Amino acid sequence: MRIDIITVLPKMFDGPLNQSILQRAQDAGVVEINIHNLRDFSTHKQKSVDDYQYGGGAGMVLMIEPISNCIEALQKEASYDEIIYLTPDGVLLDQGAANKLSTLSNLILLCGHYKGIDERVRQHLVTKEISIGDYVLSGGELAAAVLTDSIVRLLPGAISDETSALTDSFQDGLLAPPVYTRPAEYKGMKVPDILLSGHEANIDKWRHDQAEKRTADRRPDLRE
Ligand code: ADE
């Protein structure tokens, strides 16, 4: 898979994309992630990428021209399945959406900033709009990093034990059951006996029951 991220703040991706599973997936060639600085596609002397909004009002708006230039340059290198704009008024990201996106080959993620982006970008260039939650972030960068992580961890070869992404919360409409590790007892707090029993079928059933209970307690909406 190839993911191209367009941003005015490329440094924001230094941390999140270069650790743990995301870094290993890139090292293993499972995914290629490229960060593009929108300013590099500005034709203005000052490399500006935003301007005042027509009709007046506070806040700068990202211009269509550099975004269009960047997308056109990328489309000369690859054919993209989706051009995704991260925005709080997009469709809410969930596990099903991440699963679907993980089956695609090439994605562009466009991060908004300031007051937003020129509406013509959304109407004519973007193919999908995604929100990571009902709250407003300062820009689309953190949302793009979250979306990238949710997709890349699902790619074959990204996680050494492939089954572990399939047993994540939400994959079967259930939250994940509790997990424990050593010691078996800490300051009087004990690991449930069943997990120490070695009886695989009983353990599987216990885990499933716990997942059902946790989901009913915390997220009954997932079962509807
Ligand atoms: N940009 C700002 N807030 C956002 C959100 N909640 N989801 C996606 N992109 C955003």
Side-chain angles (χ1 to χ4, degrees):
M1 172 177 256
R2 173 175 165 156
I3 300 178
D4 289 274
I5 302 177
I6 305 173
T7 173
V8 288
L9 296 172
K11 284 206 188 104
M12 278 193 75
F13 293 94
D14 285 354
L17 302 185
N18 299 312
Q19 314 280 332
S20 182
I21 291 171
L22 269 96
Q23 182 63 60
R24 283 203 299 276
Q26 291 173 84
D27 292 345
V30 166
V31 65
E32 178 188 326
I33 304 175
N34 306 301
I35 311 294
H36 306 279
N37 189 343
L38 190 59
R39 287 189 197 286
D40 295 341
F41 297 88
S42 169
T43 51
H44 291 76
K45 250 197 262 148
Q46 257 69 46
K47 294 277 167 211
S48 56
V49 290
D50 59 340
D51 210 332
Y52 297 101
Q53 52 178 310
Y54 279 123
M60 304 292 271
V61 174
L62 287 179
M63 295 185 287
I64 187 169
E65 193 193 20
I67 295 172
S68 177
N69 288 345
C70 182
I71 291 174
E72 274 175 26
L74 290 173
Q75 283 172 329
K76 287 194 181 120
E77 291 174 22
S79 156
Y80 290 90
D81 301 298
E82 298 284 4
I83 300 176
I84 301 171
Y85 175 48
L86 284 308
T87 175
D89 59 2
V91 175
L92 268 186
L93 177 64
D94 63 11
Q95 191 61 50
N99 290 349
K100 276 197 202 121
L101 290 170
S102 76
T103 65
L104 303 178
S105 301
N106 301 318
L107 301 174
I108 290 177
L109 308 188
L110 174 61
C111 306
H113 238 269
Y114 313 109
K115 195 73 195 168
I117 61 174
D118 190 300
E119 187 66 16
R120 290 166 291 185
V121 173
R122 302 178 68 165
Q123 285 173 344
H124 302 288
L125 305 182
V126 162
T127 61
K128 213 182 227 334
E129 301 192 321
I130 291 181
S131 163
I132 64 159
D134 288 340
Y135 41 82
V136 178
L137 302 166
S138 308
E141 283 75 13
L142 293 173
V146 167
L147 178 61
T148 300
D149 187 295
S150 74
I151 293 169
V152 172
R153 64 195 309 286
L154 298 170
L155 300 176
I159 297 182
S160 47
D161 176 1
E162 260 193 51
T163 58
S164 78
L166 295 176
T167 58
D168 284 344
S169 279
F170 303 111
Q171 281 297 11
D172 50 5
L174 290 175
L175 299 180
V179 292
Y180 297 85
T181 187
R182 283 188 285 192
E185 183 173 346
Y186 180 71
K187 295 185 178 173
M189 296 177 275
K190 287 186 179 165
V191 172
D193 287 338
I194 186 136
L195 294 177
L196 311 175
S197 70
H199 194 301
E200 225 175 289
N202 287 353
I203 292 172
D204 282 350
K205 181 174 183 316
W206 180 87
R207 286 189 171 139
H208 185 77
D209 292 347
Q210 290 291 316
E212 293 270 13
K213 183 176 177 323
R214 189 160 274 199
T215 308
D217 288 348
R218 300 181 182 198
R219 292 295 305 277
D221 57 297
L222 290 177
R223 305 300 276 152
E224 276 151 24

